[in-house]
Amino acid sequence: MFLKEIFSLKNYNNKLDYYLSQMGIRTRLFLLVSLVLVPLFIFHLITICNHFEIARENELNSIERLAWETNAVFFSYVQNLWNRELTLGEAISIQNPPLSSDKIKKYLQKELYHDPTVLAFHWINPNKSMIVTTVKEQRYIQNLLTRKYIQSIQQGQDKVISDLIVDDMYNNNPVIEVATAIRCGEKLFGILIATININKLDLVLSLNNNNVNTIGIKDSKGQLIYCNGISPNITLDQRKRINNSPSEIALKRHMSVNGNFYSDLDKTYIMESAVPIQDTGWVAFASAPIHEIYSTARYKTVRDLTTLLFSTTLCLLLVVLFGNKILQPITSLEKAAKDISHGKLDTRVMISGKDELAVAGEAFNKMAERIQEMEENRNRFLKIVAHELRNPMAGIKGIIALIQKQITNGKPISNMTPMLEVADREINRLNQLLSEVLDTYSITGGHLPLNLAPVNLVKVIRLSVKPFLLSDKQKHEFVLKNVDNPVWVIGDANRLENVFRNLISNAIKYSPKGGKIEVILKVEEKNVVVSISDQGIGIPKDKLNNIFDAFYRVNNHLEGIGLGLFISKSIVQRHMGRLWVESEEGKGSTFYVELPLYR
Amino acid sequence: MAKVLIIEDNPSISLILKEILSTEGHTVNTVVDGYSALEKLKETPLPDIVLLDYFMPGMNGQDFIKEMRTKPSLKNIPVIVVTGADLSLEDFQKDDCQAIIKKPFDLNEVVEKVKNLL
């Protein structure tokens, strides 16, 4: 089971790898950046939502606070009024003898000037036989006696407030009346009533309020008494409008209520906070259209969202921009690789900087250079091989033609023997060339055959030098040192002989006539080193590294295929040895062959 | 018959060319590189025609032609380049060489080309 799980996970990994490999490197980079960006984006989005919520809550709190303030201000206003009425009433009732109605009226009128919100004062004596009022029009004063609160006062209540009154007495202007019972113990001395012009309530309720929020007061029947920002001329119907607003719920339940409702009047959703006003059965409220409340929060949210989107977009754009910049070297590498595969071997990439890609670019250029060099070498090799093969072939062909001519002319061919010897030599030369080419391919293929056996290196060196001693017509001076005692190594005698013959032949080729060629054998602790020195032209320093390469020739005009040193070095290396050169231009070169001793 | 100078480092080729041309009755001299050839050309009589190997140690064919053409006495001697490389007459400056013999060559080709330039 567990194994199965691992297997499926591996499978999943494989699938992931597969999908990733299908994407472009650009897409992968984008994905990587998105992995960081998306969580940040979501986090910011949540933060913005929270800010919106907090802003909404703050607005709600400020409305609620405003409702409480309205409540407090209005209640203290009403209480003040009650207290003043009490003082006034007591002042009237304690007079002995009792004041005449005229005097009371004057007294009340004087009091009117102190308060612009009060439209009129009325005094009613306990048996309702005397009604004194500051209202000019005396026709309807009997209406006062029909007020419900008069009954309440007679039933023992001291401080009362009427609901909205629309009465002939006040020319049908809406008012409210605040009344106080003046008593001495249980005995009622009179009732003092103040009529309040509700249109003047602005003077009382001008709270420190922004223009957005509405504050207001409703009487116990839910009729609108005061509301800022509403025309004083609104109809009674409009004042009586009943909707399912929090203020009405607060009236019914005698508790503070917050909530939203749809206002027919404003044709919009409104958030309202309502608080009952104590001792009155009224309610104070504050409200604001929901769209207004949200507008501030929304403005901030929109601003934050815009900033977020803008910065995210900018970030992604920069990613694309920088991505392209980063990927540009890869693209140019890709293009260069394609060009090279199509045969444009001189293609190089231009990547500046010191980063990994620049290093890769440099490595790529080196590789391209190497490929170009190898391709050039191959072409040169083919040309050289063709050229070198044609020389012996030309000789053989010429000899055949000569013999043919002799035969055609009926002449004897016995004098042609030296020519046949030449032909034989040329065939040997052809054979040697082919061996070199084949050896090179064996070496590059990694399977140069060796017949290993204990070999006396001194004998090998003597054998290598011998043919040159006989054939060298330029009279070089050959010096052999330390070649008296046998020195044994494990190796292929023929191959080693080839190596020394090649090195000596080179020494001869690059030496002036009569130059000294020294072959010195030196036995060390574990190795034997053979040095072959000449007094020739030497090798330029910048070419020392290349001379052991296949097909490399220091001087292109020289005869030879350019494989000798390459093959020699490979043979020595196969013998666990080393072949190297020290050279000074104009003075000569020394080639060293180091081989492990056999004991 | 004519005097021919063969400049060729490969002894076999040199020998065969000499054999072919002597059979035709020409007087043939051989040298192994450009330097020896320039030395040889100081002597009189001058050859009527030069057969020149292109790739040689020391002074190669190209350098030899340049050097030879600077000398008034040698300026007008026709040169035939003998080469195993893929060279054509277009590879040479006008008047540098007058013919090319490609290795491996045909006996008659050598005889003909020499004859044409005499």
Side-chain angles (χ1 to χ4, degrees):
Chain A
M1 194 64 189
F2 185 60
L3 277 175
K4 213 175 178 180
E5 232 167 273
I6 288 179
F7 182 71
S8 66
L9 192 70
K10 202 180 160 194
N11 220 6
Y12 175 73
N13 262 336
N14 285 344
K15 264 188 185 170
L16 190 72
D17 281 348
Y18 172 74
Y19 287 125
L20 278 176
S21 70
Q22 292 298 302
M23 288 175 197
I25 197 156
R26 206 175 303 257
T27 321
R28 271 184 263 177
L29 198 71
F30 209 72
L31 201 72
L32 201 69
V33 174
S34 304
L35 276 180
V36 180
L37 217 57
V38 167
L40 275 178
F41 186 82
I42 291 171
F43 177 74
H44 272 277
L45 217 58
I46 290 170
T47 314
I48 289 170
C49 287
N50 283 345
H51 281 169
F52 181 76
E53 198 58 35
I54 288 166
R56 204 183 66 97
E57 209 114 302
N58 281 344
E59 286 295 328
L60 189 67
N61 284 345
S62 80
I63 287 175
E64 202 175 344
R65 205 172 54 239
L66 206 59
W68 278 103
E69 275 176 34
T70 311
N71 170 36
V73 169
F74 184 72
F75 181 65
S76 82
Y77 166 73
V78 173
Q79 215 164 26
N80 264 336
L81 210 57
W82 277 329
N83 287 342
R84 262 177 62 209
E85 282 175 345
L86 191 64
T87 320
L88 258 172
E90 275 174 354
I92 292 167
S93 57
I94 58 165
Q95 298 294 328
N96 201 9
L99 293 174
S100 66
S101 59
D102 275 351
K103 279 203 170 161
I104 292 174
K105 191 176 175 180
K106 268 180 192 162
Y107 193 66
L108 290 177
Q109 265 169 342
K110 211 163 76 185
E111 200 61 28
L112 257 185
Y113 297 113
H114 295 300
D115 195 338
T117 57
V118 180
L119 199 66
F121 279 114
H122 319 280
W123 170 261
I124 301 174
N125 67 356
N127 53 15
K128 298 175 188 168
S129 58
M130 185 171 80
I131 300 170
V132 181
T133 178
T134 58
V135 176
K136 278 179 189 161
E137 187 62 75
Q138 300 280 318
R139 271 189 291 177
Y140 304 104
I141 56 168
Q142 289 300 324
N143 287 1
L144 279 174
L145 299 177
T146 63
R147 309 286 196 233
K148 264 188 188 167
Y149 59 81
I150 302 287
Q151 285 173 19
S152 308
I153 285 172
Q154 278 170 342
Q155 279 159 16
Q157 222 175 328
D158 284 339
K159 296 169 176 180
V160 291
I161 185 164
S162 75
D163 287 332
L164 189 71
I165 295 166
V166 180
D167 199 295
D168 295 335
M169 213 172 123
Y170 310 112
N171 296 328
N172 287 326
N173 286 328
V175 295
I176 50 172
E177 288 168 350
V178 177
T180 307
I182 313 297
R183 298 178 203 273
C184 181
E186 289 294 309
K187 194 175 176 239
L188 185 69
F189 277 115
I191 303 166
L192 196 77
I193 302 163
T195 303
I196 291 164
N197 180 356
I198 57 172
N199 290 335
K200 288 276 170 72
L201 279 178
D202 262 334
L203 298 172
V204 177
L205 290 166
S206 59
L207 296 175
N208 185 15
N209 178 23
N210 59 28
N211 293 332
V212 177
N213 297 338
T214 305
I215 56 168
I217 292 160
K218 284 182 176 179
D219 67 13
S220 62
K221 282 180 185 160
Q223 299 173 112
L224 196 63
I225 303 300
Y226 170 78
C227 183
N228 67 336
I230 277 185
S231 153
N233 303 324
I234 57 167
T235 62
L236 196 61
D237 263 355
Q238 280 169 332
R239 285 185 188 273
K240 279 182 178 170
R241 179 177 298 278
I242 301 296
N243 46 31
N244 207 19
S245 67
S247 48
E248 265 133 57
I249 299 166
L251 276 174
K252 278 179 210 156
R253 299 195 188 160
H254 307 290
M255 57 186 276
S256 53
V257 177
N258 299 325
N260 303 337
F261 72 101
Y262 184 77
S263 159
D264 294 331
L265 200 64
D266 302 318
K267 306 277 180 230
T268 183
Y269 280 95
I270 295 207
M271 177 183 275
E272 193 171 84
S273 179
V275 185
I277 303 170
Q278 64 189 104
D279 296 347
T280 58
W282 287 25
V283 71
F285 67 87
S287 69
I290 282 177
H291 67 86
E292 295 281 358
I293 292 171
Y294 287 166
S295 76
T296 325
R298 201 162 43 212
Y299 166 73
K300 281 181 186 163
T301 309
V302 166
R303 190 192 59 193
D304 288 355
L305 270 177
T306 316
T307 313
L308 179 65
L309 279 175
F310 179 74
S311 56
T312 310
T313 315
L314 192 76
C315 194
L316 287 177
L317 270 174
L318 282 177
V319 165
V320 170
L321 207 74
F322 280 117
N324 276 342
K325 262 269 183 278
I326 291 168
L327 291 177
Q328 191 262 329
I330 294 175
T331 319
S332 60
L333 269 177
E334 186 189 354
K335 192 182 166 292
K338 271 184 188 158
D339 282 352
I340 284 177
S341 72
H342 289 139
K344 279 191 198 163
L345 295 180
D346 57 343
T347 309
R348 298 288 182 274
V349 289
M350 293 289 294
I351 299 171
S352 53
K354 285 180 179 173
D355 60 354
E356 291 86 339
L357 284 169
V359 173
E362 213 171 288
F364 180 90
N365 280 347
K366 273 189 186 151
M367 183 193 76
E369 213 168 284
R370 186 90 184 117
I371 290 173
Q372 193 181 8
E373 205 179 289
M374 278 163 73
E375 183 61 19
E376 279 166 9
N377 277 344
R378 199 177 65 97
N379 288 335
R380 203 171 66 227
F381 166 71
L382 282 174
K383 274 186 188 163
I384 293 167
V385 168
H387 177 253
E388 289 301 311
L389 289 178
R390 275 173 187 149
N391 257 340
M393 274 160 62
I396 296 161
K397 191 172 166 152
I399 288 160
I400 291 168
L402 276 172
I403 294 172
Q404 259 180 346
K405 201 176 176 189
Q406 291 290 87
I407 294 169
T408 319
N409 296 345
K411 288 179 184 169
I413 54 166
S414 51
N415 60 343
M416 282 287 154
T417 322
M419 286 286 130
L420 289 175
E421 277 167 13
V422 170
D424 190 51
R425 202 167 66 214
E426 292 303 292
I427 286 167
N428 286 341
R429 168 99 189 108
L430 271 178
N431 194 28
Q432 198 209 330
L433 279 171
L434 277 175
S435 299
E436 278 186 10
V437 171
L438 288 176
D439 279 352
T440 304
Y441 274 88
S442 299
I443 290 162
T444 46
H447 44 75
L448 178 75
L450 288 182
N451 290 320
L452 294 177
V455 174
N456 180 0
L457 199 64
V458 170
K459 196 179 164 193
V460 171
I461 291 169
R462 284 188 182 285
L463 276 174
S464 315
V465 178
K466 206 176 175 183
F468 296 108
L469 293 174
L470 296 174
S471 67
D472 181 34
K473 286 171 188 162
Q474 291 182 314
K475 306 286 179 254
H476 290 97
E477 185 192 339
F478 286 91
V479 179
L480 273 70
K481 283 186 185 167
N482 300 339
V483 287
D484 305 315
N485 303 319
V487 175
W488 293 94
V489 296
I490 293 284
D492 184 324
N494 286 331
R495 296 280 189 197
L496 288 175
E497 201 182 314
N498 284 344
V499 170
F500 291 116
R501 199 168 285 169
N502 181 298
L503 293 175
I504 293 163
S505 148
N506 279 346
I508 291 170
K509 213 192 282 184
Y510 296 103
S511 289
K513 230 175 206 177
K516 190 162 86 172
I517 290 162
E518 254 184 331
V519 180
I520 304 169
L521 194 140
K522 195 175 156 194
V523 178
E524 294 176 344
E525 197 183 343
K526 285 180 179 170
N527 302 314
V528 54
V529 181
V530 182
S531 62
I532 296 122
S533 318
D534 62 52
Q535 296 174 327
I537 53 173
I539 304 160
K541 259 198 178 136
D542 58 323
K543 290 175 177 171
L544 273 176
N545 285 333
N546 299 107
I547 59 165
F548 295 105
D549 289 354
F551 311 119
Y552 190 83
R553 298 190 304 177
V554 176
N555 185 341
N556 264 337
H557 297 303
L558 280 182
E559 185 187 2
I561 209 161
L563 290 175
L565 283 176
F566 172 69
I567 294 171
S568 296
K569 184 165 188 169
S570 306
I571 290 171
V572 173
Q573 279 172 341
R574 285 292 304 275
H575 283 81
M576 313 302 256
R578 290 196 298 148
L579 171 58
W580 72 99
V581 66
E582 285 167 10
S583 182
E584 200 175 327
E585 225 175 330
K587 286 195 174 172
S589 311
T590 305
F591 283 83
Y592 296 90
V593 177
E594 185 188 77
L595 293 167
L597 281 170
Y598 173 61
R599 289 180 200 269
Chain B
M1 286 290 114
K3 292 180 283 298
V4 183
L5 178 64
I6 295 169
I7 309 166
E8 166 68 79
D9 66 314
N10 186 313
S12 309
I13 305 290
S14 181
L15 187 64
I16 288 151
L17 285 172
K18 186 181 179 179
E19 192 68 34
I20 291 169
L21 293 171
S22 341
T23 320
E24 289 297 310
H26 300 296
T27 312
V28 182
N29 278 311
T30 62
V31 287
V32 294
D33 61 29
Y35 292 120
S36 331
L38 287 173
E39 284 297 310
K40 188 84 189 165
L41 287 169
K42 284 176 184 167
E43 300 166 10
T44 45
L46 288 169
D48 299 311
I49 189 161
V50 170
L51 262 68
L52 174 70
D53 183 25
Y54 198 67
F55 291 111
M56 287 182 298
M59 181 184 278
N60 66 55
Q62 196 174 14
D63 295 340
F64 173 77
I65 293 175
K66 271 186 200 160
E67 192 68 34
M68 181 186 167
R69 293 304 186 207
T70 59
K71 294 184 165 53
S73 57
L74 308 176
K75 216 174 175 178
N76 297 318
I77 298 175
V79 171
I80 299 175
V81 168
V82 184
T83 178
D86 286 323
L87 293 170
S88 65
L89 270 180
E90 285 79 52
D91 294 324
F92 295 89
Q93 294 284 317
K94 200 179 170 243
D95 296 334
D96 274 357
C97 91
Q98 282 62 45
I100 285 177
I101 293 172
K102 281 188 183 167
K103 293 174 187 174
F105 44 76
D106 194 75
L107 191 147
N108 294 328
E109 186 193 358
V110 178
V111 173
E112 281 301 308
K113 283 193 172 163
V114 169
K115 206 181 185 178
N116 287 344
L117 286 170
L118 284 173

